[in-house]
Amino acid sequence: MEQPDVRQVTDSRVLAAMAHPLRRRLMDVLKVYGPSTVGLLAERTDQAPANVSHHLKVLAGAELVTEAPELARDRRERWWRLVTRGVRWSSSDFDADPAARAVADAATSLNLDRHAALARAWHAADEPTQAAWQDGPFSTDKWLHLTPDELAELSREVVDLLARWADRPVPEDGRDRQPVFVFAHGVPARP
């Protein structure tokens, strides 16, 4: 089943459903590994199956995940998949309602916390793990002088570059490929 690319979220209830660390992690696991059962998701997140099941129901209520009954081998087995490959939102879509804006701000903050936690976890990994990746892991930053339109153009180029790598057919060359998290932020700031 082909998934739509990215859902533009304009409903604060959807952001509220996403604004929970485990639900965000469940969506990441489904993005990386594809459709999974509650049991597999529980193993990959070190959570109890009942807890995972509860959070999947919240995500399903927000139409972020859906059941995939065609993958079940029997009536007891329940598979879940993402509805879209990604989500995006603009905080400005929620400016008219202070409560909705607070939810959007919380979702943005959780998103940033998740990004930073993944980077910190890599830097805390043991030396043999880091050595196995040699010079591959990177961090970069630049100070640019841009207009809002130029920043939007840069954003599209970075998103397109990452999409090209994410959507490429994975070569069947026998090499071990592991999940790699890549993120970039481009925001107006003062040095």
Side-chain angles (χ1 to χ4, degrees):
M1 174 181 191
E2 185 68 23
Q3 291 176 307
D5 265 356
V6 177
R7 174 180 174 183
Q8 182 70 36
V9 175
T10 57
D11 184 339
S12 64
R13 292 171 297 188
V14 174
L15 290 183
M18 289 175 42
H20 184 282
L22 178 57
R23 290 195 284 264
R24 170 61 198 265
R25 190 160 175 224
L26 289 168
M27 291 177 67
D28 283 348
V29 171
L30 289 168
K31 187 182 293 185
V32 170
Y33 297 105
S36 297
T37 63
V38 168
L40 287 170
L41 290 166
E43 286 177 32
R44 288 189 168 128
T45 59
D46 296 320
Q47 296 290 316
N51 192 31
V52 169
S53 184
H54 163 74
H55 288 289
L56 286 170
K57 288 176 185 167
V58 173
L59 291 169
E63 298 178 350
L64 292 163
V65 301
T66 188
E67 286 194 61
E70 70 279 5
L71 299 174
R73 293 180 297 235
D74 61 48
R75 290 176 14 175
R76 293 175 298 148
E77 192 174 64
R78 293 178 72 184
W79 284 77
W80 295 85
R81 71 162 48 95
L82 291 172
V83 173
T84 59
R85 293 174 51 197
V87 295
R88 73 170 61 117
W89 66 92
S90 171
S91 293
S92 64
D93 287 340
F94 303 94
D95 284 345
D97 178 357
R101 177 60 191 242
V103 170
D105 290 345
T108 299
S109 180
L110 174 70
N111 205 41
L112 184 56
D113 290 347
R114 174 85 173 134
H115 293 173
L118 290 168
R120 282 189 190 101
W122 165 254
H123 290 289
D126 61 34
E127 192 173 317
T129 300
Q130 289 187 8
W133 285 89
Q134 301 167 10
D135 291 332
F138 68 94
S139 156
T140 185
D141 58 70
K142 304 283 183 231
W143 284 99
L144 308 173
H145 294 270
L146 304 173
T147 66
D149 288 341
E150 289 169 335
L151 181 57
E153 180 181 346
L154 176 61
S155 171
R156 285 188 295 276
E157 288 179 20
V158 170
V159 169
D160 289 347
L161 173 66
L162 295 179
R164 190 177 81 229
W165 276 90
D167 297 341
R168 75 185 171 109
V170 177
E172 293 186 28
D173 56 10
R175 297 170 65 194
D176 180 34
R177 286 180 174 79
Q178 296 180 28
V180 172
F181 179 70
V182 179
F183 71 101
H185 289 272
V187 295
R190 292 180 59 170

